Amino acid sequence: MPIYHSIVHLIDKKPDGTPATLHASEHELKESSALENLLTDLNESYNAKPNKAWGYFHEESGAYPFSGWLTGYLEQQQNFIEFSKQATEHLQKLMEESNLSMGGYVLIAHYQQGMTDYLTITLLHHTKGVAVNDSLEVTEAKHLDLSQLHLAARINLSEWQNNKQSKQYISFIRGKNGKKVSDYFRDFIGCQEGVDAPSETRTLLKAFSDYVEDEDYSEDQTKQKTDTLVSYASTQARLGEAISLDELSELMNEETPKAFYDYIRNKDYGLSPAIPPDKRTLNQFRRFTGRAEGLSISFEAHLLGSRIEYDEANDTLLIHQVPTKLKDQLKRNSK
């Protein structure tokens, strides 16, 4: 992972309304295995966060100056240290206006992963742990707590610079349960939500369900394609990458690799060629399957409780909105 520039500044602030104090670093972080390990672990922890949102920059203004400063840095109008200080001073100001905010170590890093350039900004805190020292004694030790990421954003610089129509080149951690505590951090970046990952993922899964029904796949074929979709989408979520409809379509059917992609386009589901996966929505997309004495039933787990009801006491299954093809067969048989 090539790391072009990275730095840490400290904003000292407690959530009691007291003014924040900025301790700005004058030096970039030196290249080291520790720094590379930190960014690798940080990326893994960030990718695993389920409550992320995707978006794009507001138009640059006095309220949202960050994108202008970032442009200046990328166009070499100012160096990385100056850019990072300017950005962190703005973050400090917004922190002071948010009484519930807490300070911490502001890590800003510009790096490359694969063929893509990223800028990540993360607020980190120390946590206490224990270690064994050279004298073989147990002692307290502080370390950065990467398991508790609440304020972090990652900007896909390559996407931002090369795809002017994109509305998902920024990802950030959204406050849990509608909390507004982290809103100031989103405003610091100057980001507006452009893509609703849970909604996009649900639409993709709806398109897939329609597709396998229209194609009249067997139970085994449907299960295999479901496993392929969930496996690929979950891997992309773990890597922090978008689901490519092209790639997914190829994985689902090697003989006709464009079949699923063309189906989505022809039906006009409104999906972008690449969509951010939502882990929680994916985890709900599993199949219940059963077969006995000439009866075969298979349905997606998320339908249980809505279109499908199970009465355990009476050992019955009630199906609402019977699939069209099955309904036609039943009608023909009843005549």
Side-chain angles (χ1 to χ4, degrees):
M1 179 195 300
I3 302 171
Y4 301 125
H5 302 282
S6 61
I7 198 167
V8 172
H9 302 296
L10 172 63
I11 299 178
D12 187 5
K13 182 183 184 299
K14 296 177 175 58
D16 56 6
T18 57
T21 303
L22 173 61
H23 303 277
S25 175
E26 299 295 334
H27 306 284
E28 293 187 31
L29 298 173
K30 296 180 180 180
E31 290 186 25
S32 65
S33 58
L35 175 58
E36 186 162 345
N37 289 338
L38 171 62
L39 281 179
T40 298
D41 293 345
L42 179 62
N43 271 324
E44 289 180 359
S45 181
Y46 182 81
N47 292 342
K49 296 291 288 186
N51 54 318
K52 290 195 295 292
W54 278 259
Y56 58 106
F57 284 126
H58 281 284
E59 185 174 348
E60 182 192 355
S61 65
Y64 304 113
F66 180 83
S67 62
W69 298 334
L70 179 56
T71 298
Y73 155 63
L74 294 174
E75 294 181 352
Q76 299 183 347
Q77 296 171 13
Q78 61 176 342
N79 64 39
F80 180 78
I81 295 176
E82 293 169 345
F83 157 67
S84 71
K85 283 184 179 179
Q86 196 171 30
T88 308
E89 286 170 359
H90 183 54
L91 177 59
Q92 174 194 2
K93 177 184 175 183
L94 294 180
M95 272 189 176
E96 289 179 340
E97 295 172 0
S98 176
N99 290 336
L100 295 176
S101 66
M102 284 187 63
Y105 296 95
V106 182
L107 170 65
I108 304 177
H110 178 191
Y111 63 95
Q112 183 182 38
Q113 193 167 37
M115 300 298 292
T116 305
D117 281 7
Y118 293 98
L119 184 88
T120 187
I121 304 176
T122 309
L123 195 67
L124 299 171
H125 299 94
H126 271 140
T127 188
K128 289 184 179 180
V130 293
V132 177
N133 61 21
D134 293 340
S135 301
L136 302 181
E137 296 174 338
V138 175
T139 180
E140 286 190 350
K142 292 197 299 183
H143 63 88
L144 293 173
D145 188 0
L146 301 184
S147 65
Q148 297 296 323
L149 288 181
H150 299 300
L151 298 174
R154 183 167 60 197
I155 303 165
N156 185 327
L157 299 176
S158 301
E159 179 80 4
W160 176 42
Q161 293 178 310
N162 299 321
N163 183 3
K164 300 302 181 183
Q165 303 303 314
S166 175
K167 292 188 176 183
Q168 58 184 57
Y169 52 79
I170 304 174
S171 65
F172 61 95
I173 297 175
R174 181 192 280 143
K176 291 184 177 180
N177 302 322
K179 291 182 180 178
K180 301 295 183 182
V181 178
S182 60
D183 282 0
Y184 78 90
F185 192 80
R186 182 194 60 198
D187 291 341
F188 156 64
I189 299 295
C191 177
Q192 55 186 316
E193 290 192 39
V195 175
D196 185 344
S199 177
E200 291 284 285
T201 305
R202 283 193 295 270
T203 300
L204 173 62
L205 298 179
K206 172 65 166 62
F208 172 79
S209 298
D210 293 345
Y211 172 69
V212 295
E213 181 180 336
D214 287 349
E215 293 296 316
D216 200 20
Y217 285 120
S218 68
E219 180 184 322
D220 289 341
Q221 288 175 313
T222 299
K223 184 179 186 306
Q224 182 183 26
K225 293 184 184 303
T226 301
D227 291 343
T228 298
L229 184 152
V230 173
S231 175
Y232 168 72
S234 298
T235 297
Q236 295 301 96
R238 188 171 64 253
L239 295 174
E241 300 289 342
I243 297 172
S244 165
L245 296 186
D246 260 335
E247 289 183 5
L248 176 59
S249 185
E250 291 175 5
L251 290 170
M252 285 176 55
N253 195 330
E254 294 180 356
E255 295 179 359
T256 54
K258 287 296 239 179
F260 182 51
Y261 183 88
D262 289 342
Y263 178 86
I264 290 176
R265 287 289 162 263
N266 292 335
K267 292 287 187 178
D268 195 20
Y269 285 93
L271 288 170
S272 302
I275 64 174
D278 181 68
K279 290 178 65 176
R280 287 177 177 168
T281 305
L282 288 169
N283 288 338
Q284 295 173 355
F285 194 73
R286 304 290 177 181
R287 298 192 73 83
F288 292 112
T289 302
R291 179 184 297 169
E293 299 175 359
L295 176 66
S296 178
I297 296 177
S298 177
F299 60 90
E300 293 145 17
H302 67 95
L303 297 178
L304 191 63
S306 56
R307 288 181 59 184
I308 297 177
E309 298 178 32
Y310 174 51
D311 185 342
E312 185 176 3
N314 295 312
D315 196 24
T316 58
L317 204 64
L318 177 61
I319 301 175
H320 301 277
Q321 297 176 330
V322 175
T324 303
K325 289 188 177 182
L326 175 58
K327 185 163 54 179
D328 290 342
Q329 294 175 54
L330 294 171
K331 286 181 177 178
R332 287 196 300 269
N333 189 66
S334 64
K335 292 179 180 179

